Amino acid sequence: MPNTKITGLGYYVPENVVTNKEMEGWMDTSDQWIQERTGIKERRYVTRHEEGTSSMGAKAARIAIERAGIDKEDIDFIVFATLSPDYFFPGCGVLMQRELGITKTEIGALDVRTQCTGFVYGLSVADQFIKSGMYKTILLVGAETHSMGLDYTTAGRDVTVIFGDGAGAAILQATEEEGGVLTTKLHSNGTFAEELAMINPGSHGGYHGDVEKYGYNDSAKYGDTFISQKMLDDGMLYPQMHGQLVFKHAVVKFPEVIKESLDEAGLTAEDISLLVPHQANLRISQFVQRRLGLRDDQVWNNIQKYGNTTAASIPIALTEAWEAGKVNPGDLVCLAAFGSGFTWASALIRWM
Ligand code: UT7
């Protein structure tokens, strides 16, 4: 059975830096509050109408392709993770394929919709395709454009200050050598689906709960579409988050799923060379670090610069760590994420 090796990494973040200070002018918040509660100092926002999720994904992908030393037509399959796609449909995978000009081979493209865990879920999917022998070279991308869908008034401050835009990419290839992706563990619990969600626009029509609560005030059969007047009037087209609840679950599930991966591989936290956690909140990462007994130099955090970029956060952080010389052959790299769904996941990689 082949193993899965990461042969190229890349990331792209927009040039436009938005500081906490700038946000103080839009809503009732403060640089101090944001830094103390989340660790975030600044984030990046796309230049509207000029770039977006699939184009940022393509920029990160081009770097990963070049570093892997392959031609874009060598790619057998695309996995694209995002919660902020360019279109409701089709997915960003095909849009990025077009942007990259991968046209000769007409390869498949799959969008993954597991939010914060999207990159780890995508890694697991790609790893299974490679191990089964179905594909040899897969492009995996995580990208987000949060800035287009946030509430910039005080009502949305708990969510809005956290999120940023960006993209990260990896080329995964089959190898006969020992190592690479050792294990991936994936979980979800849909009981908490609405605790961190962007419910509208959607096709639900309110049937998961109170019709009125979800923005459908018109029982008139076909009167409401994906977007109702009530949603527009009441500002119901934004993400919503029960922050404390998410936090409480995250600090339990992160260590649990990391331990599950380590147990399966017959390893312990002491064996981890570098943990690259999803950048949800610096306090969550620090909690996980303490729980696992890891030193500062064993954990890569960059939420200070980019905020929470959801599916892009792990590939951006992993690429940065690799560029900084923190990821070397023989190292045990652990990826882990928790977020909307709820979903949570981990991966262990023996770097090659
Ligand atoms: O990607 C994965 C998904 N997301 C997460 O992992 C997020 C997990 N949760 C969190 O990171 C934290 O819960 C938050 C950063 C969202 C919030 O921090 P917290 O320490 O849990 O604050 P809180 O929700 O308990 O709110 C404390 C106070 C409230 O005011 P009162 O009721 O005490 O007067 C909030 O209204 O802080 C207020 N607040 C703000 N104040 C200034 C909430 N957001 C802001 C803000 N600026 N941006």
Side-chain angles (χ1 to χ4, degrees), residues 28-30 33-34 37-38 116 157-158 161-163 196 241 243-244 246-247 278 280-281 283-284 308 338-339:
D28 181 11
T29 191
S30 68
W33 189 97
I34 301 171
R37 303 284 175 136
T38 71
C116 308
R157 63 183 179 176
D158 56 329
V161 299
I162 293 178
F163 292 100
L196 174 47
M241 178 170 73
Q244 284 183 5
V246 176
F247 198 104
H278 163 52
N281 181 321
R283 283 157 57 215
I284 295 177
N308 178 342
F338 177 91

Side-chain angles (χ1 to χ4, degrees), residues 54-308:
S54 66
S55 72
M56 287 193 293
K59 283 183 178 151
R62 283 194 195 98
I63 298 167
I65 290 167
E66 198 199 323
R67 285 175 173 167
I70 61 165
D71 186 89
K72 61 183 196 280
E73 301 290 350
D74 295 333
I75 296 167
D76 298 321
F77 194 70
I78 291 170
V79 181
F80 198 114
T82 186
L83 65 67
S84 50
D86 293 11
Y87 301 148
F88 202 99
F89 72 85
C92 274
V94 296
L95 299 178
M96 184 185 68
Q97 180 204 32
R98 177 175 70 186
E99 176 121 2
L100 289 171
I102 305 177
T103 46
K104 263 201 306 227
T105 41
E106 297 186 339
I107 54 168
L110 171 74
D111 274 39
V112 169
R113 300 248 353 230
T114 58
Q115 303 68 248
C116 308
T117 56
F119 190 81
V120 184
Y121 264 69
L123 179 70
S124 184
V125 169
D127 183 42
Q128 309 316 310
F129 275 141
I130 287 176
K131 289 197 165 124
S132 73
M134 186 155 170
Y135 297 124
K136 289 196 162 44
T137 301
I138 297 180
L139 167 59
L140 169 62
V141 168
E144 303 289 358
T145 309
H146 287 304
S147 62
M148 286 294 290
L150 298 171
D151 178 357
Y152 293 100
T153 71
T154 298
R157 63 183 179 176
D158 56 329
V159 173
T160 300
V161 299
I162 293 178
F163 292 100
D165 302 341
I171 296 291
L172 311 173
Q173 292 192 278
T175 176
E176 294 307 321
E177 292 165 51
E178 278 307 306
V181 179
L182 301 182
T183 180
T184 53
K185 293 287 164 200
L186 313 178
H187 293 280
S188 72
N189 185 346
T191 312
F192 302 101
E194 285 79 16
E195 303 297 346
L196 174 47
M198 184 168 149
I199 286 168
N200 296 311
S203 62
H204 57 86
Y207 79 91
H208 287 301
D210 185 336
V211 171
E212 172 86 3
K213 182 176 155 206
Y214 288 129
Y216 289 89
N217 52 4
D218 178 5
S219 58
K221 311 354 170 219
Y222 304 108
D224 283 347
T225 59
F226 284 138
I227 299 174
S228 70
Q229 193 57 48
K230 181 174 168 60
M231 290 174 202
L232 290 166
D233 293 345
D234 295 356
M236 298 171 86
L237 294 166
Y238 299 117
Q240 61 188 43
M241 178 170 73
H242 186 167
Q244 284 183 5
L245 185 85
V246 176
F247 198 104
K248 264 189 355 213
H249 283 260
V251 294
V252 173
K253 294 300 183 189
F254 258 106
E256 196 177 286
V257 76
I258 291 170
K259 188 163 182 318
E260 192 186 356
S261 266
L262 287 166
D263 286 349
E264 182 171 294
L267 297 163
T268 67
E270 283 176 18
D271 297 310
I272 294 175
S273 313
L274 191 70
L275 170 66
V276 181
H278 163 52
Q279 301 292 292
N281 181 321
L282 190 59
R283 283 157 57 215
I284 295 177
S285 293
Q286 287 167 341
F287 187 95
V288 176
Q289 174 181 343
R290 279 198 301 277
R291 196 38 108 68
L292 296 174
L294 300 175
R295 301 181 308 272
D296 286 353
D297 65 309
Q298 287 173 289
V299 185
W300 191 268
N301 286 306
N302 63 7
I303 193 169
Q304 300 88 335
K305 293 187 290 181
Y306 307 128
N308 178 342

Side-chain angles (χ1 to χ4, degrees), residues 16-31 34 41-43 45 152 161:
N16 185 21
V17 177
V18 176
T19 62
N20 295 343
K21 267 266 167 276
E22 219 169 323
M23 291 194 144
E24 288 178 7
W26 308 338
M27 60 183 81
D28 181 11
T29 191
S30 68
D31 177 42
I34 301 171
K41 293 183 198 308
E42 58 190 39
R43 73 285 295 141
Y45 282 179
Y152 293 100
V161 299

